[in-house]
Amino acid sequence: MHDQDRQSDTKKVKERSPVRAKNDMKSLKELFVIGKQAMERHQDFVFVTVIASSGSSPRGAGSRMLVLPDGTSHGTVGGGNVEYHAIQQAKEVLVSKKSFSKGYHLHAGETADLGMICGGDVVIYFQYMSWENEEFYRLCCQLLEDWDKNESSWLIMDITDETAWAAGYYSPEHNLIGLSLTDLKPLLQTQAVQAVINGRRYYSEPLVRQGIVYVFGGGHVAQELVPLLSHLDFRCVVYDDRESFSNPSLFPDAARCITGDFSYISQYVTIQPQDYVCIMTRGHQSDYILQQQILKTDAHYIGVMGSRKKSAAIRQKLLDDGFTGTQIDRINTPIGLSILAETPAEIAVSIAAQLVMIRARKK
């Protein structure tokens, strides 16, 4: 391993990915940035992951935290007393250099942080990572390089016993890095799972889901929508013909910002069957031009913001252009679920709710 190369790579990652405290998919990416940087400083660390949970409305599996030798923690496994004890346990793991899992019983007052209304139990896996683990370092590099690509990927951990501290990363492009497994089907699911393969137990969770949300128009609603969608594990690309409204400083949560002509979007983006399109430009003509082009793609979802009167007028123009009623019916307009939204923030909530519903149905 070349430390000079490592430092150069990390500098690039630092510039793209400032560390944040939010426990969302972006912060998961940042945990790997921090882990990679720790290895470059010759520091071991521990990944602390909730691998199972029970109780009312559980959502804990997949919550993750990284603990460094000085006790500094990044991410969260739910906060409160359990997280405190998990950090202390991780410090011991750094000394013993042995991975293991441990169950915790949550009292009613401790469950809210993990989304459980009543008491319940969680199983936390403490995975020791040595800075000398070349395979894991390569895994981090590939994972970070692939993060903003429009393809699904999974993190897989061997949780069989205390001596097992291997982790793997799977993407269709690069196959499996870090582990030697031939039967991956039980592990490549849409939610966190555990499976026994050839006598060994593995934990797997999806890191990135296919599908980009293309937001055309960077106005007030978009500015409310993009951070909300990012928090809900959607990756957003913002597209506007004005640089001031397609600027990373305005949309720090966007995977990409594009300044381009609305009449020629194919010069800038390629919309895939797994993608979502939200049209919310400042004018009827731009909306119409975009719908002409988007209807020729296989986008999974098309939503257009606007009144019913405006939508009816554009529908007639599209019919005059030769599009069929069935084709035009793919468009969700007015965009979002009907929740009597009025403000940009409320409209963003209605759109986000609709996308969550569409994504859930897609599974």
Side-chain angles (χ1 to χ4, degrees):
M1 186 180 300
H2 301 290
D3 288 349
Q4 185 176 0
D5 292 342
R6 281 184 164 190
Q7 291 167 3
S8 175
D9 288 344
T10 300
K11 184 177 180 182
K12 295 175 184 176
V13 173
K14 272 182 169 180
E15 291 170 352
R16 293 196 304 266
S17 309
V19 175
R20 302 174 188 211
K22 294 189 300 181
N23 186 39
D24 54 14
M25 290 302 289
K26 177 170 283 192
S27 67
L28 178 56
K29 173 185 177 181
E30 288 159 357
L31 290 187
F32 283 95
V33 173
I34 294 167
K36 182 170 176 284
Q37 291 171 345
M39 298 179 83
E40 292 165 358
R41 295 192 300 267
H42 295 186
Q43 288 183 328
D44 299 342
F45 59 90
V46 177
F47 265 135
V48 183
T49 306
V50 177
I51 61 173
S53 64
S54 65
S56 178
S57 302
R59 69 163 182 86
S63 299
R64 187 184 300 277
M65 179 171 64
L66 184 149
V67 180
L68 298 171
D70 64 358
T72 302
S73 64
H74 301 269
T76 182
V77 290
N81 198 41
V82 169
E83 184 161 305
Y84 170 79
H85 286 293
I87 293 172
Q88 304 312 308
Q89 192 73 64
K91 292 179 183 178
E92 296 180 16
V93 170
L94 285 164
V95 176
S96 67
K97 301 184 178 182
K98 290 184 177 180
S99 303
F100 67 96
S101 59
K102 182 177 180 178
Y104 293 86
H105 178 70
L106 299 171
H107 300 290
E110 299 173 324
T111 55
D113 289 325
L114 277 173
M116 293 185 279
I117 299 171
C118 305
D121 300 299
V122 294
V123 178
I124 296 179
Y125 185 64
F126 297 85
Q127 186 169 41
Y128 167 73
M129 283 295 173
S130 167
W131 69 267
E132 297 179 290
N133 188 331
E134 296 276 352
E135 195 66 24
F136 187 76
Y137 183 80
R138 186 167 75 91
L139 180 157
C140 286
C141 292
Q142 192 61 64
L143 184 154
L144 292 170
E145 181 181 328
D146 291 350
W147 193 270
D148 289 329
K149 294 181 179 178
N150 192 12
E151 67 174 30
S152 300
S153 61
W154 287 261
L155 178 68
I156 303 169
M157 297 189 297
D158 187 333
I159 61 173
T160 308
D161 51 53
E162 293 184 353
T163 61
W165 48 290
Y169 165 68
Y170 175 82
S171 69
E173 181 179 353
H174 302 288
N175 213 321
L176 182 62
I177 297 173
L179 291 170
S180 297
L181 284 170
T182 54
D183 183 16
L184 288 171
K185 187 175 180 180
L187 299 172
L188 304 185
Q189 305 299 317
T190 58
Q191 67 283 322
V193 295
Q194 293 185 44
V196 176
I197 301 174
N198 297 328
R200 300 195 68 82
R201 179 171 292 278
Y202 297 91
Y203 168 82
S204 172
E205 66 176 275
L207 292 177
V208 176
R209 300 173 183 174
Q210 276 188 326
I212 290 174
V213 181
Y214 289 96
V215 179
F216 290 95
H220 296 303
V221 174
Q223 291 165 37
E224 297 285 352
L225 178 64
V226 170
L228 179 55
L229 289 178
S230 177
H231 189 67
L232 294 169
D233 302 345
F234 289 95
R235 285 173 299 147
C236 299
V237 171
V238 178
Y239 188 118
D240 202 292
D241 58 357
R242 301 162 293 176
E243 187 174 356
S244 58
F245 285 86
S246 56
N247 195 304
S249 63
L250 190 62
F251 294 98
D253 296 297
R256 186 182 172 199
C257 291
I258 300 171
T259 304
D261 192 325
F262 285 133
S263 300
Y264 305 100
I265 63 172
S266 62
Q267 294 182 5
Y268 303 89
V269 299
T270 301
I271 296 173
Q272 304 290 339
Q274 65 268 21
D275 295 334
Y276 308 78
V277 174
C278 297
I279 299 174
M280 47 187 66
T281 73
R282 65 189 183 279
H284 295 192
Q285 184 62 20
S286 296
D287 286 355
Y288 164 65
I289 290 171
L290 285 166
Q291 289 175 71
Q292 281 183 312
Q293 298 168 81
I294 302 300
L295 283 174
K296 296 176 183 177
T297 74
D298 294 323
H300 184 64
Y301 168 91
I302 306 171
V304 180
M305 191 170 69
S307 66
R308 297 188 186 279
K309 181 178 179 181
K310 167 190 166 183
S311 301
I314 292 181
R315 180 184 181 88
Q316 187 56 55
K317 292 179 72 174
L318 293 170
L319 287 169
D320 294 341
D321 290 336
F323 290 100
T324 66
T326 301
Q327 289 174 310
I328 300 171
D329 286 343
R330 293 174 57 204
I331 299 172
N332 294 270
T333 184
I335 193 172
L337 297 182
S338 179
I339 60 171
L340 304 181
E342 294 183 357
T343 67
E346 290 173 346
I347 295 169
V349 169
S350 75
I351 297 169
Q354 189 171 55
L355 291 189
V356 168
M357 181 179 69
I358 297 294
R359 181 172 65 183
R361 287 176 176 172
K362 183 179 179 182
K363 291 179 185 179

